[in-house]
Amino acid sequence: MGGGAAGSVYRSLVLTNASDQECSVEGYPGVSFTDAAGAQIGAPAERDGSAPARVALAPGASVSTTLQQTNAGNYGGDCGLTQSAGLRVYPPGATDSLVLPQAISACSDTAIVLMRVGTLQPAS
């Protein structure tokens, strides 16, 4: 699930085509912390800058990426330290999302970015 370095944790995000039709994705998922009511907390994840590639997904196939999360405690109370209830994830180009439960400290200050996300790649 994740490793850590210098106050960060690395997690794998996996998106699976749950339909019965082929689809394609290109780019980065949108990721942000949410509170218990589902409202966004702080800044969304920044993109890591990798060149996106279009990936065709057969039904049941998956893509994945790495999400780096920096420990909000590194910023102390200066960042508007608050408890998140989850992570909202949007597939590239989508307006619907899903929320993954994750109780973790976040920063409400939108000037502080705690997450970086990479481009989606075929899952191995």
Side-chain angles (χ1 to χ4, degrees):
M1 167 77 81
S8 293
V9 174
Y10 295 86
R11 302 183 189 282
S12 293
L13 286 179
V14 178
L15 301 177
T16 301
N17 179 359
S19 76
D20 60 358
Q21 308 234 341
E22 182 174 294
C23 69
S24 62
V25 294
E26 180 176 10
Y28 307 83
V31 182
S32 58
F33 290 112
T34 62
D35 64 17
Q40 182 172 317
I41 299 171
E46 284 185 343
R47 296 174 175 176
D48 79 353
S50 301
R54 183 169 294 279
V55 179
L57 289 173
S62 299
V63 289
S64 65
T65 189
T66 299
L67 176 68
Q68 176 186 3
Q69 293 178 301
T70 301
N71 183 344
N74 293 348
Y75 297 92
D78 295 339
C79 78
L81 200 60
T82 187
Q83 188 71 17
S84 75
L87 287 178
R88 181 172 305 280
V89 179
Y90 288 93
T95 56
D96 55 335
S97 65
L98 57 99
V99 176
L100 305 171
Q102 186 180 47
I104 189 172
S105 293
C107 293
S108 63
D109 184 341
T110 57
I112 297 174
V113 177
L114 294 176
M115 295 185 286
R116 292 181 59 83
V117 65
T119 58
L120 291 167
Q121 304 293 324
S124 44

